[in-house]
Amino acid sequence: MEFWKNENQPIEAFLKMFDKCMADPDLSKSLKKVNQLILFDYTQDGENCAFWVDARGGKVTSGQGRPDDEPDLIMSLSADDAHRSWSNKLNPITAITRKKIKVKGSATGLLRLAPKLKKVAEYYNEVLDEMGLEDIKV
């Protein structure tokens, strides 16, 4: 991994970022509309390098690893490319077409949130600062 010390570090950052996003009323409302259980699979960087977001039923929860239920959508990519994507430096649509992100299931709802990545990146950078990871910002 180019940016991370171990497989747990990116998951900690990504989950903290989601917590901040869910505290933002606009982002929270938009993610609830996705109404899917999503697995972000970075296990090519370690068997525990994954997290899930459950945006079904009008609420949003998240956790490390694989969810208990079968995901509606699986986004598979490297933790480094996830870092670039959450930093708004990797366009997810372009990354899918170039096979940097592999998608299993319908990503239509999630990709509608792409215009909001700039705001997500602001929260993500706050998390990196809080974790003392300013040096990996892209």
Side-chain angles (χ1 to χ4, degrees), residues 76-116:
S76 300
L77 61 155
S78 71
D80 289 333
D81 281 337
H83 172 65
R84 291 180 185 94
S85 181
W86 296 127
S87 298
N88 200 25
K89 301 295 183 189
L90 177 67
N91 180 305
I93 296 169
T94 302
I96 289 170
T97 60
R98 292 185 179 168
K99 310 283 187 208
K100 283 188 160 202
I101 299 176
K102 295 177 185 155
V103 177
K104 184 176 179 184
S106 175
T108 304
L110 189 62
L111 291 176
R112 279 191 212 123
L113 300 178
K116 298 185 181 291

Side-chain angles (χ1 to χ4, degrees), residues 5-35:
K5 292 178 183 167
N6 59 57
E7 67 184 274
N8 292 321
Q9 197 176 37
I11 301 305
E12 180 183 354
F14 301 153
L15 286 172
K16 286 182 178 182
M17 173 199 65
F18 262 89
D19 287 346
K20 285 185 178 279
C21 289
M22 291 307 95
D24 181 296
D26 181 48
L27 291 176
S28 177
K29 181 179 175 183
S30 296
L31 189 55
K32 288 174 185 172
K33 289 180 181 176
V34 172
N35 199 31

Side-chain angles (χ1 to χ4, degrees), residues 32-63:
K32 288 174 185 172
K33 289 180 181 176
V34 172
N35 199 31
Q36 290 180 312
L37 175 58
I38 305 161
L39 173 63
F40 294 92
D41 181 359
Y42 314 125
T43 53
Q44 64 182 296
D45 295 313
E47 91 180 52
N48 297 315
C49 200
F51 78 101
W52 53 268
V53 174
D54 189 351
R56 300 175 297 181
K59 61 181 182 177
V60 179
T61 56
S62 59

